Short mmCIF file of all heavy atoms in Angstrom, two decimals:
data_model
loop_
_atom_site.label_atom_id
_atom_site.label_comp_id
_atom_site.label_asym_id
_atom_site.label_seq_id
_atom_site.Cartn_x
_atom_site.Cartn_y
_atom_site.Cartn_z
N MET A 1286 -8.07 27.51 23.67
CA MET A 1286 -8.62 26.21 23.34
C MET A 1286 -9.59 26.38 22.18
O MET A 1286 -10.39 27.30 22.16
CB MET A 1286 -9.32 25.65 24.58
CG MET A 1286 -9.81 24.26 24.42
SD MET A 1286 -10.57 23.51 25.89
CE MET A 1286 -9.53 24.00 27.22
N SER A 1287 -9.51 25.46 21.24
CA SER A 1287 -10.37 25.56 20.07
C SER A 1287 -11.82 25.23 20.44
O SER A 1287 -12.07 24.50 21.41
CB SER A 1287 -9.89 24.62 18.98
OG SER A 1287 -10.20 23.28 19.31
N PRO A 1288 -12.77 25.72 19.66
CA PRO A 1288 -14.18 25.40 19.92
C PRO A 1288 -14.46 23.90 19.86
O PRO A 1288 -15.27 23.37 20.63
CB PRO A 1288 -14.93 26.14 18.82
CG PRO A 1288 -14.03 27.23 18.39
CD PRO A 1288 -12.63 26.71 18.59
N ALA A 1289 -13.79 23.20 18.95
CA ALA A 1289 -14.00 21.75 18.84
C ALA A 1289 -13.52 21.03 20.10
O ALA A 1289 -14.18 20.12 20.59
CB ALA A 1289 -13.28 21.21 17.61
N THR A 1290 -12.39 21.48 20.62
CA THR A 1290 -11.86 20.88 21.85
C THR A 1290 -12.78 21.16 23.02
O THR A 1290 -13.07 20.27 23.82
CB THR A 1290 -10.44 21.43 22.14
OG1 THR A 1290 -9.59 21.13 21.03
CG2 THR A 1290 -9.86 20.81 23.40
N GLN A 1291 -13.25 22.38 23.12
CA GLN A 1291 -14.16 22.75 24.20
C GLN A 1291 -15.46 21.94 24.11
O GLN A 1291 -15.96 21.46 25.13
CB GLN A 1291 -14.46 24.24 24.17
CG GLN A 1291 -15.31 24.71 25.34
CD GLN A 1291 -14.65 24.45 26.69
OE1 GLN A 1291 -13.45 24.61 26.84
NE2 GLN A 1291 -15.44 24.04 27.66
N ALA A 1292 -15.98 21.76 22.91
CA ALA A 1292 -17.21 20.98 22.74
C ALA A 1292 -16.99 19.53 23.15
O ALA A 1292 -17.86 18.92 23.79
CB ALA A 1292 -17.68 21.06 21.28
N LEU A 1293 -15.84 18.98 22.82
CA LEU A 1293 -15.53 17.61 23.19
C LEU A 1293 -15.42 17.48 24.71
O LEU A 1293 -15.94 16.52 25.30
CB LEU A 1293 -14.25 17.15 22.51
CG LEU A 1293 -13.81 15.72 22.76
CD1 LEU A 1293 -14.90 14.73 22.37
CD2 LEU A 1293 -12.52 15.43 22.01
N ILE A 1294 -14.77 18.42 25.34
CA ILE A 1294 -14.64 18.39 26.80
C ILE A 1294 -16.02 18.46 27.45
O ILE A 1294 -16.30 17.72 28.41
CB ILE A 1294 -13.73 19.54 27.28
CG1 ILE A 1294 -12.29 19.25 26.88
CG2 ILE A 1294 -13.85 19.74 28.80
CD1 ILE A 1294 -11.33 20.40 27.11
N GLU A 1295 -16.89 19.29 26.94
CA GLU A 1295 -18.24 19.39 27.49
C GLU A 1295 -19.00 18.07 27.34
O GLU A 1295 -19.72 17.65 28.25
CB GLU A 1295 -19.00 20.54 26.83
CG GLU A 1295 -18.47 21.91 27.23
CD GLU A 1295 -19.06 23.05 26.43
OE1 GLU A 1295 -20.01 22.81 25.63
OE2 GLU A 1295 -18.58 24.18 26.58
N LYS A 1296 -18.83 17.42 26.20
CA LYS A 1296 -19.49 16.13 26.00
C LYS A 1296 -18.95 15.08 26.98
O LYS A 1296 -19.72 14.29 27.53
CB LYS A 1296 -19.30 15.65 24.56
CG LYS A 1296 -20.08 16.44 23.54
CD LYS A 1296 -19.78 15.95 22.13
CE LYS A 1296 -20.51 16.78 21.10
NZ LYS A 1296 -20.24 16.32 19.72
N ILE A 1297 -17.65 15.09 27.17
CA ILE A 1297 -17.04 14.13 28.10
C ILE A 1297 -17.52 14.40 29.52
O ILE A 1297 -17.84 13.47 30.26
CB ILE A 1297 -15.51 14.19 28.00
CG1 ILE A 1297 -15.05 13.64 26.64
CG2 ILE A 1297 -14.86 13.40 29.14
CD1 ILE A 1297 -13.59 13.86 26.35
N GLU A 1298 -17.58 15.66 29.90
CA GLU A 1298 -18.02 16.01 31.25
C GLU A 1298 -19.48 15.62 31.49
O GLU A 1298 -19.88 15.38 32.63
CB GLU A 1298 -17.82 17.50 31.50
CG GLU A 1298 -16.36 17.88 31.67
CD GLU A 1298 -16.14 19.38 31.78
OE1 GLU A 1298 -17.03 20.16 31.39
OE2 GLU A 1298 -15.06 19.76 32.25
N ALA A 1299 -20.27 15.53 30.45
CA ALA A 1299 -21.68 15.18 30.58
C ALA A 1299 -21.90 13.67 30.70
O ALA A 1299 -23.00 13.23 31.04
CB ALA A 1299 -22.47 15.72 29.39
N LEU A 1300 -20.87 12.89 30.45
CA LEU A 1300 -21.00 11.44 30.53
C LEU A 1300 -21.08 10.97 31.98
O LEU A 1300 -20.48 11.59 32.86
CB LEU A 1300 -19.81 10.75 29.86
CG LEU A 1300 -19.71 10.84 28.35
CD1 LEU A 1300 -18.37 10.29 27.88
CD2 LEU A 1300 -20.86 10.08 27.69
N PRO A 1301 -21.76 9.86 32.20
CA PRO A 1301 -21.75 9.29 33.55
C PRO A 1301 -20.35 8.76 33.88
O PRO A 1301 -19.60 8.39 32.97
CB PRO A 1301 -22.77 8.15 33.47
CG PRO A 1301 -23.05 7.93 32.04
CD PRO A 1301 -22.62 9.14 31.29
N PRO A 1302 -20.00 8.74 35.15
CA PRO A 1302 -18.63 8.33 35.55
C PRO A 1302 -18.20 6.96 35.01
O PRO A 1302 -17.02 6.79 34.65
CB PRO A 1302 -18.70 8.31 37.07
CG PRO A 1302 -19.82 9.23 37.42
CD PRO A 1302 -20.81 9.12 36.29
N ASP A 1303 -19.10 6.01 34.91
CA ASP A 1303 -18.70 4.69 34.42
C ASP A 1303 -18.33 4.69 32.94
O ASP A 1303 -17.64 3.78 32.47
CB ASP A 1303 -19.79 3.66 34.71
CG ASP A 1303 -21.11 3.99 34.03
OD1 ASP A 1303 -21.52 5.17 34.05
OD2 ASP A 1303 -21.73 3.06 33.47
N ARG A 1304 -18.73 5.69 32.21
CA ARG A 1304 -18.38 5.78 30.78
C ARG A 1304 -17.03 6.46 30.57
O ARG A 1304 -16.42 6.31 29.51
CB ARG A 1304 -19.44 6.56 30.01
CG ARG A 1304 -20.78 5.90 29.99
CD ARG A 1304 -20.72 4.59 29.31
NE ARG A 1304 -21.75 4.55 28.30
CZ ARG A 1304 -21.83 3.64 27.37
NH1 ARG A 1304 -20.95 2.71 27.31
NH2 ARG A 1304 -22.79 3.67 26.50
N LEU A 1305 -16.55 7.20 31.54
CA LEU A 1305 -15.28 7.91 31.39
C LEU A 1305 -14.12 6.94 31.16
O LEU A 1305 -13.20 7.24 30.40
CB LEU A 1305 -15.01 8.80 32.61
CG LEU A 1305 -15.97 9.97 32.77
CD1 LEU A 1305 -15.63 10.74 34.04
CD2 LEU A 1305 -15.95 10.88 31.57
N SER A 1306 -14.17 5.80 31.80
CA SER A 1306 -13.09 4.83 31.59
C SER A 1306 -13.09 4.31 30.16
O SER A 1306 -12.02 4.05 29.59
CB SER A 1306 -13.20 3.66 32.58
OG SER A 1306 -14.38 2.93 32.35
N GLU A 1307 -14.26 4.20 29.55
CA GLU A 1307 -14.33 3.78 28.15
C GLU A 1307 -13.72 4.84 27.23
O GLU A 1307 -13.01 4.51 26.28
CB GLU A 1307 -15.78 3.52 27.74
CG GLU A 1307 -16.38 2.29 28.38
CD GLU A 1307 -17.80 2.06 27.90
OE1 GLU A 1307 -18.04 2.12 26.67
OE2 GLU A 1307 -18.67 1.82 28.76
N VAL A 1308 -14.01 6.10 27.53
CA VAL A 1308 -13.44 7.19 26.74
C VAL A 1308 -11.93 7.19 26.88
O VAL A 1308 -11.20 7.32 25.89
CB VAL A 1308 -14.05 8.55 27.17
CG1 VAL A 1308 -13.32 9.70 26.48
CG2 VAL A 1308 -15.53 8.60 26.87
N GLU A 1309 -11.46 7.02 28.11
CA GLU A 1309 -10.01 6.99 28.34
C GLU A 1309 -9.37 5.82 27.61
O GLU A 1309 -8.30 5.98 26.99
CB GLU A 1309 -9.72 6.90 29.83
CG GLU A 1309 -8.24 6.96 30.14
CD GLU A 1309 -7.94 6.93 31.62
OE1 GLU A 1309 -8.85 6.64 32.42
OE2 GLU A 1309 -6.78 7.19 31.98
N ASP A 1310 -9.99 4.66 27.65
CA ASP A 1310 -9.46 3.50 26.92
C ASP A 1310 -9.39 3.77 25.43
O ASP A 1310 -8.41 3.40 24.77
CB ASP A 1310 -10.33 2.26 27.17
CG ASP A 1310 -10.18 1.70 28.56
OD1 ASP A 1310 -9.22 2.07 29.27
OD2 ASP A 1310 -11.04 0.87 28.95
N PHE A 1311 -10.41 4.41 24.89
CA PHE A 1311 -10.42 4.70 23.46
C PHE A 1311 -9.33 5.70 23.09
O PHE A 1311 -8.63 5.53 22.08
CB PHE A 1311 -11.79 5.22 23.02
CG PHE A 1311 -11.88 5.45 21.54
CD1 PHE A 1311 -11.80 4.40 20.65
CD2 PHE A 1311 -12.03 6.74 21.04
CE1 PHE A 1311 -11.88 4.61 19.28
CE2 PHE A 1311 -12.10 6.96 19.68
CZ PHE A 1311 -12.02 5.89 18.79
N VAL A 1312 -9.15 6.72 23.91
CA VAL A 1312 -8.09 7.70 23.65
C VAL A 1312 -6.72 7.02 23.72
O VAL A 1312 -5.85 7.27 22.87
CB VAL A 1312 -8.18 8.88 24.65
CG1 VAL A 1312 -6.96 9.78 24.56
CG2 VAL A 1312 -9.45 9.68 24.41
N ASP A 1313 -6.53 6.15 24.70
CA ASP A 1313 -5.27 5.40 24.79
C ASP A 1313 -5.06 4.54 23.56
O ASP A 1313 -3.94 4.45 23.04
CB ASP A 1313 -5.25 4.53 26.05
CG ASP A 1313 -5.16 5.34 27.33
OD1 ASP A 1313 -4.78 6.53 27.28
OD2 ASP A 1313 -5.47 4.77 28.40
N PHE A 1314 -6.13 3.91 23.09
CA PHE A 1314 -6.05 3.09 21.87
C PHE A 1314 -5.61 3.93 20.67
O PHE A 1314 -4.74 3.53 19.90
CB PHE A 1314 -7.40 2.43 21.59
CG PHE A 1314 -7.55 1.94 20.18
CD1 PHE A 1314 -6.91 0.79 19.76
CD2 PHE A 1314 -8.33 2.65 19.27
CE1 PHE A 1314 -7.05 0.35 18.44
CE2 PHE A 1314 -8.47 2.22 17.97
CZ PHE A 1314 -7.83 1.06 17.55
N LEU A 1315 -6.21 5.10 20.51
CA LEU A 1315 -5.87 5.98 19.38
C LEU A 1315 -4.41 6.41 19.46
O LEU A 1315 -3.70 6.42 18.44
CB LEU A 1315 -6.78 7.20 19.36
CG LEU A 1315 -8.24 6.95 19.00
CD1 LEU A 1315 -9.03 8.24 19.14
CD2 LEU A 1315 -8.37 6.38 17.61
N ARG A 1316 -3.96 6.77 20.64
CA ARG A 1316 -2.56 7.20 20.79
C ARG A 1316 -1.60 6.06 20.49
O ARG A 1316 -0.59 6.24 19.81
CB ARG A 1316 -2.33 7.74 22.20
CG ARG A 1316 -3.08 9.05 22.43
CD ARG A 1316 -2.89 9.57 23.82
NE ARG A 1316 -1.52 10.03 23.96
CZ ARG A 1316 -0.89 10.16 25.12
NH1 ARG A 1316 -1.50 9.87 26.24
NH2 ARG A 1316 0.34 10.60 25.16
N MET A 1317 -1.92 4.85 20.97
CA MET A 1317 -1.06 3.69 20.73
C MET A 1317 -1.02 3.36 19.25
O MET A 1317 0.04 3.06 18.69
CB MET A 1317 -1.55 2.49 21.53
CG MET A 1317 -0.61 1.29 21.43
SD MET A 1317 -1.15 -0.14 22.37
CE MET A 1317 -1.31 0.55 23.99
N ARG A 1318 -2.16 3.43 18.59
CA ARG A 1318 -2.22 3.15 17.15
C ARG A 1318 -1.36 4.14 16.37
O ARG A 1318 -0.63 3.76 15.45
CB ARG A 1318 -3.67 3.19 16.66
CG ARG A 1318 -3.81 2.76 15.21
CD ARG A 1318 -5.25 2.75 14.78
NE ARG A 1318 -5.73 4.13 14.73
CZ ARG A 1318 -6.95 4.48 14.35
NH1 ARG A 1318 -7.83 3.56 14.05
NH2 ARG A 1318 -7.31 5.74 14.31
N ASP A 1319 -1.43 5.42 16.75
CA ASP A 1319 -0.61 6.42 16.07
C ASP A 1319 0.88 6.17 16.30
O ASP A 1319 1.68 6.32 15.38
CB ASP A 1319 -0.97 7.83 16.56
CG ASP A 1319 -2.32 8.29 16.04
OD1 ASP A 1319 -2.87 7.65 15.12
OD2 ASP A 1319 -2.85 9.29 16.58
N GLN A 1320 1.25 5.77 17.51
CA GLN A 1320 2.65 5.46 17.80
C GLN A 1320 3.11 4.26 16.97
O GLN A 1320 4.21 4.28 16.40
CB GLN A 1320 2.84 5.16 19.28
CG GLN A 1320 2.74 6.36 20.17
CD GLN A 1320 2.80 5.99 21.65
OE1 GLN A 1320 2.70 4.83 22.02
NE2 GLN A 1320 2.96 7.00 22.49
N GLU A 1321 2.28 3.22 16.90
CA GLU A 1321 2.64 2.04 16.12
C GLU A 1321 2.79 2.38 14.64
O GLU A 1321 3.72 1.90 13.98
CB GLU A 1321 1.59 0.94 16.31
CG GLU A 1321 1.63 0.32 17.69
CD GLU A 1321 0.49 -0.66 17.93
OE1 GLU A 1321 -0.39 -0.80 17.05
OE2 GLU A 1321 0.48 -1.26 19.02
N ARG A 1322 1.90 3.20 14.13
CA ARG A 1322 2.02 3.60 12.72
C ARG A 1322 3.30 4.39 12.49
O ARG A 1322 3.94 4.24 11.45
CB ARG A 1322 0.80 4.42 12.30
CG ARG A 1322 -0.43 3.58 12.13
CD ARG A 1322 -1.61 4.41 11.70
NE ARG A 1322 -2.78 3.56 11.50
CZ ARG A 1322 -3.98 4.02 11.27
NH1 ARG A 1322 -4.21 5.32 11.22
NH2 ARG A 1322 -4.99 3.20 11.10
N GLY A 1323 3.66 5.23 13.44
CA GLY A 1323 4.90 5.98 13.32
C GLY A 1323 6.11 5.06 13.31
O GLY A 1323 7.05 5.25 12.53
N LEU A 1324 6.09 4.03 14.17
CA LEU A 1324 7.18 3.06 14.19
C LEU A 1324 7.26 2.28 12.88
O LEU A 1324 8.35 2.03 12.37
CB LEU A 1324 7.02 2.10 15.36
CG LEU A 1324 7.22 2.68 16.75
CD1 LEU A 1324 6.85 1.66 17.82
CD2 LEU A 1324 8.65 3.15 16.92
N ILE A 1325 6.11 1.92 12.34
CA ILE A 1325 6.10 1.18 11.07
C ILE A 1325 6.66 2.05 9.95
O ILE A 1325 7.47 1.58 9.14
CB ILE A 1325 4.67 0.69 10.75
CG1 ILE A 1325 4.26 -0.40 11.72
CG2 ILE A 1325 4.55 0.22 9.30
CD1 ILE A 1325 2.79 -0.76 11.68
N ARG A 1326 6.27 3.32 9.91
CA ARG A 1326 6.80 4.22 8.88
C ARG A 1326 8.30 4.40 9.04
O ARG A 1326 9.05 4.41 8.05
CB ARG A 1326 6.10 5.58 8.96
CG ARG A 1326 4.75 5.59 8.31
CD ARG A 1326 4.19 7.01 8.21
NE ARG A 1326 2.76 6.95 8.47
CZ ARG A 1326 2.17 7.34 9.59
NH1 ARG A 1326 2.85 7.89 10.55
NH2 ARG A 1326 0.87 7.21 9.75
N ALA A 1327 8.77 4.54 10.27
CA ALA A 1327 10.21 4.71 10.51
C ALA A 1327 10.98 3.46 10.09
O ALA A 1327 12.05 3.56 9.48
CB ALA A 1327 10.46 5.02 11.99
N ALA A 1328 10.45 2.30 10.40
CA ALA A 1328 11.11 1.05 10.01
C ALA A 1328 11.15 0.91 8.49
O ALA A 1328 12.16 0.49 7.93
CB ALA A 1328 10.40 -0.14 10.63
N ALA A 1329 10.06 1.27 7.84
CA ALA A 1329 10.03 1.19 6.38
C ALA A 1329 11.04 2.15 5.75
O ALA A 1329 11.74 1.80 4.80
CB ALA A 1329 8.62 1.48 5.86
N ALA A 1330 11.12 3.36 6.30
CA ALA A 1330 12.07 4.34 5.77
C ALA A 1330 13.50 3.88 5.99
O ALA A 1330 14.37 4.06 5.12
CB ALA A 1330 11.83 5.70 6.42
N THR A 1331 13.75 3.27 7.13
CA THR A 1331 15.10 2.79 7.44
C THR A 1331 15.50 1.64 6.53
O THR A 1331 16.64 1.56 6.08
CB THR A 1331 15.17 2.33 8.91
OG1 THR A 1331 14.82 3.43 9.75
CG2 THR A 1331 16.55 1.84 9.28
N SER A 1332 14.58 0.75 6.25
CA SER A 1332 14.91 -0.42 5.44
C SER A 1332 14.88 -0.13 3.95
O SER A 1332 15.41 -0.92 3.17
CB SER A 1332 13.96 -1.57 5.77
OG SER A 1332 12.64 -1.23 5.42
N ALA A 1333 14.32 0.98 3.53
CA ALA A 1333 14.21 1.28 2.10
C ALA A 1333 15.56 1.31 1.41
O ALA A 1333 15.72 0.77 0.32
CB ALA A 1333 13.47 2.59 1.89
N ALA A 1334 16.54 1.90 2.05
CA ALA A 1334 17.87 1.97 1.45
C ALA A 1334 18.47 0.57 1.29
O ALA A 1334 19.13 0.28 0.29
CB ALA A 1334 18.79 2.85 2.29
N SER A 1335 18.24 -0.28 2.25
CA SER A 1335 18.78 -1.65 2.19
C SER A 1335 18.16 -2.44 1.05
O SER A 1335 18.82 -3.28 0.44
CB SER A 1335 18.51 -2.38 3.51
OG SER A 1335 19.13 -1.72 4.57
N PHE A 1336 16.89 -2.20 0.80
CA PHE A 1336 16.20 -2.95 -0.25
C PHE A 1336 16.28 -2.29 -1.62
O PHE A 1336 15.85 -2.87 -2.61
CB PHE A 1336 14.73 -3.15 0.12
CG PHE A 1336 14.54 -4.16 1.20
CD1 PHE A 1336 14.13 -3.77 2.47
CD2 PHE A 1336 14.77 -5.50 0.96
CE1 PHE A 1336 13.95 -4.70 3.47
CE2 PHE A 1336 14.58 -6.45 1.96
CZ PHE A 1336 14.17 -6.04 3.23
N ALA A 1337 16.84 -1.10 -1.71
CA ALA A 1337 16.88 -0.38 -2.98
C ALA A 1337 17.58 -1.20 -4.06
O ALA A 1337 17.12 -1.24 -5.21
CB ALA A 1337 17.55 0.97 -2.81
N ALA A 1338 18.66 -1.84 -3.71
CA ALA A 1338 19.40 -2.64 -4.70
C ALA A 1338 18.57 -3.82 -5.17
O ALA A 1338 18.69 -4.25 -6.32
CB ALA A 1338 20.71 -3.12 -4.10
N ILE A 1339 17.73 -4.34 -4.32
CA ILE A 1339 16.90 -5.47 -4.70
C ILE A 1339 15.72 -5.01 -5.55
O ILE A 1339 15.37 -5.64 -6.54
CB ILE A 1339 16.40 -6.21 -3.43
CG1 ILE A 1339 17.59 -6.79 -2.68
CG2 ILE A 1339 15.40 -7.30 -3.78
CD1 ILE A 1339 17.25 -7.30 -1.29
N TRP A 1340 15.12 -3.90 -5.14
CA TRP A 1340 13.93 -3.40 -5.83
C TRP A 1340 14.25 -2.76 -7.17
O TRP A 1340 13.47 -2.83 -8.10
CB TRP A 1340 13.19 -2.40 -4.97
CG TRP A 1340 12.57 -2.99 -3.74
CD1 TRP A 1340 12.11 -4.26 -3.58
CD2 TRP A 1340 12.32 -2.33 -2.50
NE1 TRP A 1340 11.60 -4.43 -2.32
CE2 TRP A 1340 11.72 -3.26 -1.65
CE3 TRP A 1340 12.56 -1.03 -2.04
CZ2 TRP A 1340 11.35 -2.93 -0.35
CZ3 TRP A 1340 12.18 -0.72 -0.75
CH2 TRP A 1340 11.58 -1.66 0.08
N GLU A 1341 15.39 -2.08 -7.24
CA GLU A 1341 15.75 -1.34 -8.45
C GLU A 1341 16.88 -2.08 -9.17
O GLU A 1341 18.05 -1.96 -8.82
CB GLU A 1341 16.20 0.09 -8.10
CG GLU A 1341 15.16 0.91 -7.38
CD GLU A 1341 13.93 1.18 -8.23
OE1 GLU A 1341 14.04 1.25 -9.47
OE2 GLU A 1341 12.85 1.34 -7.63
N ASN A 1342 16.51 -2.88 -10.15
CA ASN A 1342 17.53 -3.57 -10.93
C ASN A 1342 17.02 -3.74 -12.36
O ASN A 1342 15.81 -3.74 -12.60
CB ASN A 1342 17.90 -4.92 -10.29
CG ASN A 1342 16.71 -5.84 -10.19
OD1 ASN A 1342 16.20 -6.29 -11.22
ND2 ASN A 1342 16.26 -6.12 -8.97
N PRO A 1343 17.93 -3.86 -13.31
CA PRO A 1343 17.54 -3.93 -14.72
C PRO A 1343 16.62 -5.12 -15.04
O PRO A 1343 15.76 -5.02 -15.91
CB PRO A 1343 18.87 -4.07 -15.47
CG PRO A 1343 19.90 -3.60 -14.52
CD PRO A 1343 19.37 -3.84 -13.15
N GLU A 1344 16.80 -6.23 -14.33
CA GLU A 1344 16.00 -7.41 -14.63
C GLU A 1344 14.51 -7.16 -14.32
O GLU A 1344 13.64 -7.76 -14.94
CB GLU A 1344 16.46 -8.61 -13.79
CG GLU A 1344 17.85 -9.12 -14.16
CD GLU A 1344 18.96 -8.32 -13.48
OE1 GLU A 1344 18.69 -7.68 -12.45
OE2 GLU A 1344 20.08 -8.33 -14.00
N ASP A 1345 14.22 -6.31 -13.35
CA ASP A 1345 12.83 -6.05 -12.96
C ASP A 1345 12.25 -4.79 -13.56
O ASP A 1345 11.11 -4.42 -13.25
CB ASP A 1345 12.73 -5.97 -11.43
CG ASP A 1345 13.00 -7.30 -10.75
OD1 ASP A 1345 12.83 -8.34 -11.43
OD2 ASP A 1345 13.34 -7.31 -9.57
N ASP A 1346 12.97 -4.11 -14.44
CA ASP A 1346 12.47 -2.87 -15.04
C ASP A 1346 11.16 -3.07 -15.81
O ASP A 1346 10.35 -2.16 -15.91
CB ASP A 1346 13.53 -2.24 -15.95
CG ASP A 1346 14.60 -1.52 -15.16
OD1 ASP A 1346 14.41 -1.31 -13.94
OD2 ASP A 1346 15.64 -1.15 -15.75
N ALA A 1347 10.96 -4.27 -16.33
CA ALA A 1347 9.73 -4.54 -17.08
C ALA A 1347 8.50 -4.38 -16.18
O ALA A 1347 7.42 -4.00 -16.64
CB ALA A 1347 9.78 -5.94 -17.67
N TYR A 1348 8.66 -4.65 -14.90
CA TYR A 1348 7.53 -4.55 -13.98
C TYR A 1348 7.16 -3.10 -13.64
O TYR A 1348 6.07 -2.83 -13.14
CB TYR A 1348 7.83 -5.30 -12.67
CG TYR A 1348 7.96 -6.79 -12.89
CD1 TYR A 1348 9.21 -7.41 -12.90
CD2 TYR A 1348 6.84 -7.58 -13.09
CE1 TYR A 1348 9.32 -8.77 -13.10
CE2 TYR A 1348 6.94 -8.94 -13.29
CZ TYR A 1348 8.20 -9.53 -13.30
OH TYR A 1348 8.29 -10.87 -13.49
N ASN A 1349 8.05 -2.16 -13.89
CA ASN A 1349 7.78 -0.76 -13.60
C ASN A 1349 6.64 -0.21 -14.45
O ASN A 1349 5.99 0.76 -14.07
CB ASN A 1349 9.03 0.11 -13.81
CG ASN A 1349 10.11 -0.23 -12.81
OD1 ASN A 1349 9.85 -0.79 -11.75
ND2 ASN A 1349 11.33 0.15 -13.13
N ASP A 1350 6.41 -0.81 -15.62
CA ASP A 1350 5.38 -0.30 -16.54
C ASP A 1350 4.02 -0.97 -16.34
O ASP A 1350 3.07 -0.65 -17.03
CB ASP A 1350 5.84 -0.51 -17.98
CG ASP A 1350 7.09 0.27 -18.28
OD1 ASP A 1350 7.26 1.37 -17.68
OD2 ASP A 1350 7.90 -0.19 -19.10
N LEU A 1351 3.92 -1.89 -15.42
CA LEU A 1351 2.64 -2.58 -15.20
C LEU A 1351 1.66 -1.73 -14.45
O LEU A 1351 1.91 -0.89 -13.74
CB LEU A 1351 2.86 -3.90 -14.44
CG LEU A 1351 3.69 -4.94 -15.17
CD1 LEU A 1351 3.87 -6.16 -14.28
CD2 LEU A 1351 3.03 -5.36 -16.47
#
């Protein structure tokens, strides 16, 4: 276990019991946010090929230099 992880565990263990649920809620929030960001990135990567023909066309080449 890394020193940073051990230090965090010690801080959590020092909290009063009623605060542990707040820590757990925050950790759940962080994990959910990371999952949602991963889904957004995957959706963007999947749709990029579909939109390539729309985004890359001679009529819009002038905008590439802006």
Side-chain angles (χ1 to χ4, degrees):
M1286 186 177 318
S1287 74
T1290 302
Q1291 185 60 40
L1293 182 57
I1294 290 171
E1295 290 171 8
K1296 289 178 182 180
I1297 292 170
E1298 288 174 341
L1300 290 172
D1303 61 317
R1304 296 298 232 168
L1305 293 178
S1306 64
E1307 291 182 47
V1308 172
E1309 184 177 12
D1310 288 346
F1311 184 66
V1312 170
D1313 290 343
F1314 162 75
L1315 291 175
R1316 293 178 70 202
M1317 186 180 304
R1318 186 178 69 178
D1319 288 346
Q1320 288 174 348
E1321 289 173 356
R1322 286 180 178 172
L1324 291 173
I1325 291 168
R1326 280 189 219 105
T1331 302
S1332 63
S1335 299
F1336 286 110
I1339 297 169
W1340 292 331
E1341 300 296 331
N1342 60 67
E1344 293 83 21
D1345 293 337
D1346 282 348
Y1348 294 104
N1349 294 339
D1350 297 328
L1351 296 178

